[in-house]
């Protein structure tokens, strides 16, 4: 029987999905009590029988009160490696959204910077 060429792709996809969940959860949480809206990543169950973005907007609407507000807060809708979206949310909205059915995790968005020092990753010949 011939081995499938999809195996490396499946393994890589699983590793990337795992990293999507682990890296944000390792981030330090800002303990400030600011009510300012900040971008968060919301991981959801994969919607069955509907477009992911429609599902994400409906989930946001349940907390923000209107579809217009949900569309205004939505930053990006993830559809391939993971199911979820990023949105500008206040701490209260994060708390309420975390209680919604189908929401798996809500984490603050962060930017990570890769650093390399002398000799790391360089091929000085």
């Amino acid at each position: 029987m011939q081995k499938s060429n999809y195996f490396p792709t499946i393994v890589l996809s699983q590793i990337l999905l795992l990293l999507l969940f682990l890296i944000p959860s390792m981030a330090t949480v800002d303990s400030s009590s600011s009510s300012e809206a900040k971008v968060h990543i919301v991981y959801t169950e994969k919607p069955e029988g509907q477009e992911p973005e429609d599902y994400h907007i409906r989930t946001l609407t349940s907390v923000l009160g209107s579809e217009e507000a949900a569309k205004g807060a939505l930053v990006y809708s993830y559809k391939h490696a993971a199911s979820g979206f990023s949105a500008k949310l206040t701490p209260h909205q994060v708390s309420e959204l975390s209680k919604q059915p189908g929401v798996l995790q809500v984490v603050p968005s962060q930017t990570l910077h890769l650093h390399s020092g002398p000799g790391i990753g360089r091929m000085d010949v």
Side-chain angles (χ1 to χ4, degrees):
M1 196 182 262
Q2 187 178 6
K3 266 186 143 177
S4 172
N5 290 335
Y6 294 106
F7 182 73
T9 304
I10 293 170
V11 171
L12 181 59
S13 296
Q14 295 295 325
I15 291 170
L16 289 174
L17 187 59
L18 180 64
L19 288 174
L20 277 173
F21 281 101
L22 289 179
I23 290 174
S25 65
M26 294 186 302
T28 56
V29 177
D30 184 8
S31 60
S32 67
S33 60
S34 171
S35 61
E36 179 183 328
K38 296 181 181 175
V39 177
H40 287 74
I41 298 173
V42 181
Y43 297 100
T44 65
E45 294 176 350
K46 187 174 182 177
E48 297 295 327
Q50 56 187 310
E51 287 296 316
E53 189 168 345
D54 294 339
Y55 176 73
H56 301 153
I57 290 172
R58 191 169 31 265
T59 302
L60 266 175
T61 299
S62 69
V63 172
L64 301 182
S66 74
E67 188 173 315
E68 185 178 316
K71 287 180 178 180
L74 186 68
V75 175
Y76 189 80
S77 192
Y78 302 99
K79 304 169 192 168
H80 302 288
S83 179
F85 56 92
S86 57
K88 292 181 181 179
L89 304 167
T90 65
H92 177 72
Q93 292 167 337
V94 167
S95 175
E96 291 301 310
L97 192 59
S98 298
K99 299 173 189 173
Q100 297 300 309
V103 173
L104 304 174
Q105 185 179 24
V106 182
V107 295
S109 180
Q110 65 176 6
T111 302
L112 301 175
H113 300 279
L114 299 177
H115 299 279
S116 67
I120 298 175
R122 295 185 181 165
M123 295 182 66
D124 296 327
V125 183

